[in-house]
Amino acid sequence: KYYGALNLITDKDERIKVANDYLLKMKRGESLPVYQGMKRLRAQEQESNFANAVQCCYKYVSDRRNELAKDTISQYKSRINFFHQWLCSKKLSHLAIGGINKDTARDFLNYLIDEKKFSSKTYNDYKILFGCIWQQYVEDDKIRKNPWKQIDSLPDQPKHFASYPPELRKLLRETLPAHDRQLWLFMQCIYYCAIRPDCELRKMQVRDLIVDKHRFIVRQEIAKGPKGKKRARVVNISTHLFEQLLNLNYHEYPPDYYLFSVAGVPGKKMVSEQYFRQRWNVYKKLHNIPAIYKIYGSKHTGGKLLSFLFNEFITKEHFGHRSMDSTRQYTEDIDKDELSMLQTKYP
């Protein structure tokens, strides 16, 4: 199946030595040298005989599907797919797992920072994931080295919770409802109810809206927290937000419909993590809004107001935090005059 130019080696012992080296490389999944005149394998033979790096990554996740949470599996697959897209752009998708060296790994990680502008935490998350995958293949004697372990992690960046200043809140009130009503409603749910956008709010269904009590229920299975330690929580809905939900007849949709679906109204298909983020980025670009302001900023803006109006315990419970330290991150450097304006003018 493989032509390695062995016929060009006249010494028998040397030929056997090189052949054994080829066999060892095949066993470890490493790339083999390509010689002129080499007969290439057909696609189906290539797939069945030589797994490339991306296939090995997917196999690693598949082998652990009973150990990992569904969200974790989805996140890992998303990162592997992103790595695959980068490899394709560099014409490196054919490489076996042993063919990914330190330079290739570093180029990919630098791409995350330099071109995609990802945070140091995301950089480290990618490095840890692929480091674990490659380490497993090292321990299984499939490859010799783990290139990801040879690269240093980046220092953690301090979290910066950028709440919205008065001029941005004014802009949102005046322009966002007409530009994107669904995004506006989504951000108000985050602001008023402190529901986390990715892991909680986008997974909530019509049945989680308790009309007669003006409340949302964040079910245990979607609440943020360590596996086995999640807890459901009840969140009060402000009158302003509740009236909008009623006027839009959200409570009349089937109970298993997602509150925020790709249909723009409650529907069967849940939105992806990138769905509102991409639409928020379009809106920001249209109005030249600085990159520091994220959708999550709605939660921090509302959090500062809540901490000004109530004690820390009420704020902690409303936000569903496990520790008071998490709550205090929302209350650092509070400007009382700013919060007074926040209370009366937003939204």
Side-chain angles (χ1 to χ4, degrees):
K1 294 293 186 181
Y2 173 70
Y3 170 69
L6 293 174
N7 59 315
L8 302 179
I9 303 175
T10 56
D11 183 82
K12 180 180 178 181
D13 292 337
E14 179 65 20
R15 191 161 60 245
I16 292 173
K17 180 181 177 182
V18 173
N20 286 331
D21 185 57
Y22 287 161
L23 291 172
L24 184 60
K25 285 178 178 288
M26 287 181 181
K27 176 184 176 184
R28 289 174 168 164
E30 298 177 11
S31 299
L32 299 173
V34 178
Y35 294 94
Q36 185 176 5
M38 174 182 176
K39 181 180 178 181
R40 296 190 177 277
L41 297 174
R42 291 179 297 171
Q44 59 268 34
E45 292 175 330
Q46 176 74 22
E47 183 176 347
S48 61
N49 289 284
F50 299 94
N52 60 38
V54 173
Q55 289 170 329
C56 290
C57 290
Y58 279 122
K59 183 179 185 303
Y60 173 90
V61 175
S62 178
D63 289 345
R64 287 154 183 78
R65 59 185 177 274
N66 294 327
E67 305 169 17
L68 302 173
K70 288 184 178 179
D71 285 351
T72 303
I73 292 174
S74 177
Q75 184 183 71
Y76 284 178
K77 287 183 176 180
S78 176
R79 289 176 178 169
I80 294 169
N81 183 53
F82 192 81
F83 181 48
H84 185 209
Q85 292 175 8
W86 180 83
L87 288 172
C88 289
S89 70
K90 301 297 181 181
K91 302 187 185 308
L92 299 174
S93 59
H94 64 283
L95 290 178
I97 191 167
I100 303 294
N101 56 31
K102 180 181 177 181
D103 290 337
T104 306
R106 185 190 290 112
D107 286 347
F108 170 69
L109 293 174
N110 288 341
Y111 166 77
L112 300 180
I113 295 293
D114 298 338
E115 297 191 35
K116 301 305 293 183
K117 308 301 180 184
F118 287 173
S119 67
S120 59
K121 180 182 181 303
T122 303
Y123 173 104
N124 292 336
D125 287 345
Y126 271 90
K127 177 184 173 299
I128 290 171
L129 170 61
F130 291 119
C132 290
I133 294 174
W134 261 252
Q135 188 60 34
Q136 185 61 58
Y137 283 92
V138 169
E139 293 174 3
D140 291 344
D141 198 29
K142 297 291 181 63
I143 56 177
R144 295 176 181 174
K145 296 180 180 179
N146 182 350
W148 306 92
K149 288 185 67 175
Q150 302 170 32
I151 301 172
D152 293 333
S153 298
L154 295 182
D156 289 336
Q157 297 170 335
K159 290 184 178 179
H160 182 73
F161 303 116
S163 57
Y164 302 158
E167 59 272 17
L168 177 54
R169 297 197 297 273
K170 182 175 183 294
L171 177 67
L172 291 174
R173 290 195 306 272
E174 295 176 350
T175 63
L176 186 53
H179 173 83
D180 193 329
R181 187 182 67 179
Q182 189 188 30
L183 174 61
W184 174 238
L185 190 65
F186 187 77
M187 293 177 70
Q188 286 183 90
C189 287
I190 300 168
Y191 168 81
Y192 283 118
C193 304
I195 301 174
R196 298 170 181 90
D198 291 338
C199 65
E200 295 177 343
L201 183 55
R202 70 185 185 90
K203 299 177 183 177
M204 290 179 64
Q205 298 173 316
V206 173
R207 62 185 168 129
D208 300 321
L209 172 58
I210 312 302
V211 176
D212 58 338
K213 296 186 178 180
H214 289 214
R215 291 174 177 174
F216 278 131
I217 291 181
V218 181
R219 287 171 280 116
Q220 182 179 13
E221 59 264 32
I222 65 173
K224 181 182 178 182
K227 193 172 183 180
K229 296 184 179 180
K230 296 182 179 183
R231 61 187 179 94
R233 74 179 192 277
V234 177
V235 183
N236 292 317
I237 306 174
S238 74
T239 301
H240 180 83
L241 174 59
F242 186 75
E243 289 176 352
Q244 291 183 66
L245 294 169
L246 285 188
N247 290 336
L248 294 171
N249 299 317
Y250 269 45
H251 59 294
E252 296 183 359
Y253 286 86
D256 61 340
Y257 274 27
Y258 291 100
L259 286 170
F260 296 95
S261 78
V262 295
V265 294
K268 296 180 179 180
K269 187 174 181 181
M270 176 177 62
V271 300
S272 69
E273 289 187 8
Q274 298 296 326
Y275 180 81
F276 284 114
R277 204 169 297 157
Q278 291 171 350
R279 290 163 70 166
W280 172 241
N281 288 337
V282 170
Y283 177 79
K284 285 201 300 182
K285 186 176 181 180
L286 181 65
H287 293 279
N288 297 315
I289 298 172
I292 191 174
Y293 298 114
K294 315 289 186 183
I295 286 182
Y296 215 91
S298 298
K299 187 167 182 279
H300 301 301
T301 306
K304 285 193 173 184
L305 171 60
L306 195 72
S307 64
F308 178 58
L309 298 175
F310 301 102
N311 62 44
E312 284 187 335
F313 177 77
I314 293 176
T315 305
K316 172 179 174 292
E317 290 302 304
H318 182 72
F319 275 73
H321 290 153
R322 297 179 65 83
S323 72
M324 197 65 77
D325 289 339
S326 298
T327 304
R328 291 187 179 119
Q329 294 182 58
Y330 288 75
T331 61
E332 293 175 353
D333 303 322
I334 293 178
D335 185 324
K336 301 297 182 182
D337 294 331
E338 162 70 0
L339 281 167
S340 178
M341 295 175 61
L342 181 63
Q343 181 180 359
T344 57
K345 293 189 177 182
Y346 184 82

